[in-house]
Amino acid sequence: MAESGAHLTVGGGDAERPSIFQLLAQESLMEAVRPALRHAAKVLAEAHPSALGFLWRSYEELYLLLDLLLQSHLLSSCSASFSENFYGLKRVPRAGGSLSRGERGRSLLLLCLLPYLLRRLRGAVSRRRDQDDFSIPPAAGASGPRLHRLHRLLACGGSAWAVLRLAQTLLYVAGRAQTHSPLLWLAGVRLTPLTARDLSLMRRERPGGPTGSSRLVQAVVGVAGGVAVSLSTALSLGTFFLQFLEWWYSSDHQDSIKSLTSLPAPPPPLHLLQPRPSSSLSSCCPLCGRLLSNHTVLSTSGYVFCYRCIYAFVKTSQRCPLSGYPTQLQHLVKIYSP
């Protein structure tokens, strides 16, 4: 049984085929990074709305710009997207060789621009539908029916795309397809693991400026490359931190933390364990032992005393006489009977 399922982790016995677990993990990486960056932009915008409010208002465009810069740099230098390079994968043409300029362009289009357009379209349709749901029904011939048809078309298209991706993934697992995703098939590429030779070539490569260009163009290219490298490094470190936070706040880890850090309930004071008449528990002051007069409760512990007794005790001892909790005079609360 183990031999029959071994192809799931070794890519069907082919060293150039990554396992399905690697492929699914690299796909889920950017799906986790984007909401984290969105939340960070929202927190910054709420903290400084006048100076950083544009981060939230133009988040999709800023994310597209950073994504284009990062993915373009990594496709040119590593022949891989950020998540693929993070998991030690690279893109090669289906027929073999190295990526051409057209394949890099198609990869960049399908990695960055297409998801952005789909998010914008879904967001616009969803907002318009919410407005129509909470407004007066449109008159005959208005855009209401068209909007519902478009929303239904998007839903059907999303379902069809999910079925197509599932079929492509199953074909890849069975060894009948070179790619696990239709987007890779549209780009004309497939994924293979990075080899030691690829890593050594990346270390030896030195970025050079374009021949015949001016110093200004070379400086811009150098700055863009530096920003892309810095962004890639920051996202790599942030990804590790994000995975750590997901593990830290997982339910299993929280259960173990609670079992280690939860303290047992302290025992009640010894004098409370002694049997006392039921009438005295509700009508006698714990300090003077007489009937309560001018009832006053301590907000720190909840016990009721005579005002004169507890005022004098707290003023001198600054604690609850029964529980020992630190108490100040402002914690005295008078109880008024109707």
Side-chain angles (χ1 to χ4, degrees):
M1 182 179 296
E3 293 178 357
S4 62
H7 66 282
L8 295 178
T9 57
V10 297
D14 190 353
E16 293 187 356
R17 286 170 58 88
S19 68
I20 189 62
F21 301 111
Q22 284 179 289
L23 299 175
L24 296 180
Q26 65 89 16
E27 281 188 349
S28 63
L29 178 59
M30 292 306 293
E31 295 176 359
V33 169
R34 183 178 171 274
L37 293 178
R38 183 182 180 88
H39 180 70
K42 183 178 180 181
V43 171
L44 292 175
E46 291 178 349
H48 304 282
S50 58
L52 301 177
F54 71 95
L55 292 178
W56 178 250
R57 293 190 300 268
S58 306
Y59 171 76
E60 292 294 342
E61 286 71 22
L62 292 175
Y63 181 83
L64 174 63
L65 180 61
L66 293 177
D67 198 21
L68 284 171
L69 179 63
L70 177 64
Q71 304 292 13
S72 176
H73 171 73
L74 290 176
L75 284 172
S76 301
S77 59
C78 305
S79 299
S81 66
F82 170 76
S83 57
E84 294 161 359
N85 183 66
F86 185 83
Y87 279 94
L89 303 174
K90 68 174 181 178
R91 296 190 175 208
V92 296
R94 289 200 297 264
S98 58
L99 288 182
S100 64
R101 180 174 298 180
E103 290 163 342
R104 289 196 188 98
R106 288 195 299 271
S107 297
L108 193 63
L109 176 67
L110 296 174
L111 280 171
C112 304
L113 192 57
L114 181 61
Y116 166 77
L117 295 176
L118 289 176
R119 288 195 302 269
R120 277 302 190 187
L121 180 60
R122 292 194 187 100
V125 172
S126 179
R127 287 192 300 270
R128 184 63 182 272
R129 189 178 184 184
D130 292 340
Q131 292 175 1
D132 290 346
D133 291 340
F134 292 97
S135 60
I136 300 175
S143 61
R146 291 197 301 269
L147 183 64
H148 288 286
R149 284 197 296 269
L150 180 58
H151 191 274
R152 193 178 301 112
L153 180 62
L154 286 176
C156 295
S159 301
W161 178 253
V163 172
L164 181 60
R165 288 189 60 182
L166 178 61
Q168 186 79 8
T169 302
L170 293 177
L171 289 175
Y172 179 84
V173 171
R176 302 296 182 85
Q178 292 183 330
T179 61
H180 76 289
S181 172
L183 291 178
L184 294 175
W185 182 83
L186 290 175
V189 298
R190 59 186 175 91
L191 296 179
T192 59
L194 286 172
T195 62
R197 181 173 178 272
D198 295 327
L199 295 176
S200 62
L201 288 176
M202 290 179 188
R203 295 191 188 99
R204 286 200 301 263
E205 283 181 355
R206 293 293 183 268
T211 58
S213 61
S214 63
R215 293 183 179 180
L216 179 59
V217 174
Q218 293 179 357
V220 171
V221 171
V223 170
V227 170
V229 171
S230 302
L231 183 61
S232 175
T233 305
L235 281 179
S236 300
L237 296 177
T239 301
F240 278 116
F241 183 67
L242 180 63
Q243 292 176 348
F244 171 76
L245 288 180
E246 290 178 352
W247 167 79
W248 182 265
Y249 288 105
S250 62
S251 58
D252 297 337
H253 179 68
Q254 287 301 310
D255 293 339
S256 62
I257 289 295
K258 289 179 181 178
S259 63
L260 292 176
T261 59
S262 58
L263 298 177
L270 295 178
H271 63 276
L272 294 181
L273 299 178
Q274 301 174 0
R276 300 176 62 184
S278 58
S279 60
S280 64
L281 290 176
S282 58
S283 60
C284 292
C285 174
L287 288 176
C288 64
R290 295 191 292 268
L291 291 176
L292 288 168
S293 62
N294 203 356
H295 298 57
T296 303
V297 63
L298 276 184
S299 62
T300 54
S301 62
Y303 292 107
V304 181
F305 308 87
C306 298
Y307 178 77
R308 181 176 296 178
C309 300
I310 192 59
Y311 181 87
F313 186 90
V314 171
K315 187 175 181 180
T316 56
S317 302
Q318 297 182 352
R319 64 180 178 86
C320 174
L322 298 183
S323 64
Y325 294 156
T327 306
Q328 301 294 331
L329 292 177
Q330 60 265 28
H331 297 141
L332 304 180
V333 179
K334 297 286 293 294
I335 300 178
Y336 298 94
S337 58

